Amino acid sequence: MPEPIRLPPQPDACELCARSVALTRHHLIPKALHDKTYVQKRYARSERITATLWVCRACHNQIHRLFSEKELALTYNHREALLSDERLRSFVAWLASKPAGFMPRP
């Protein structure tokens, strides 16, 4: 019997801005693309499912504002790659200084 796939546990703070707020799971390889051949060739099923980050709603919204699903799957598919983008890095730095209850305007 195959080993069950275990998702990473939820941390106490956003994995990008480090604020202690409610968190959402960001799929580093977007679920909508899991059945695409180019995604299946690059990533094992377990990797497609478990490659996640726990992020606050503000960081999650910003990720999806900046990148297409295909860009996320092919280029920005881990924390360091996301933070390599200056636009996201500067947003995260700005947000990190805000209080836990702060939510940027859309």
Side-chain angles (χ1 to χ4, degrees):
M1 183 170 198
E3 184 71 23
I5 296 172
R6 291 193 173 35
L7 292 169
Q10 183 173 339
D12 295 327
C14 176
E15 292 187 77
L16 292 177
C17 72
R19 296 184 313 148
S20 292
V21 295
L23 300 176
T24 62
R25 186 189 307 274
H26 168 67
H27 290 86
L28 292 161
I29 302 155
K31 285 169 59 176
L33 302 181
H34 284 195
D35 62 345
K36 300 289 185 195
T37 304
Y38 69 89
V39 169
Q40 291 180 355
K41 283 182 177 178
R42 281 178 176 79
Y43 309 104
R45 180 175 177 270
S46 62
E47 187 178 7
R48 294 192 304 267
I49 294 169
T50 60
T52 61
L53 275 184
W54 283 98
V55 294
C56 69
R57 176 45 57 197
C59 284
H60 207 165
N61 289 349
Q62 188 67 6
I63 289 168
H64 288 284
R65 225 177 255 122
L66 293 174
F67 309 112
S68 71
E69 299 219 317
K70 192 167 188 177
E71 287 175 312
L72 289 170
L74 299 180
T75 305
Y76 299 101
N77 49 35
H78 54 90
R79 183 180 181 277
E80 294 73 25
L82 286 167
L83 291 173
S84 73
D85 184 274
E86 177 58 36
R87 300 166 301 169
L88 184 61
R89 197 168 55 250
S90 61
F91 175 84
V92 166
W94 171 78
L95 188 60
S97 68
K98 305 293 183 230
F102 177 82
M103 185 68 178
R105 284 193 211 138

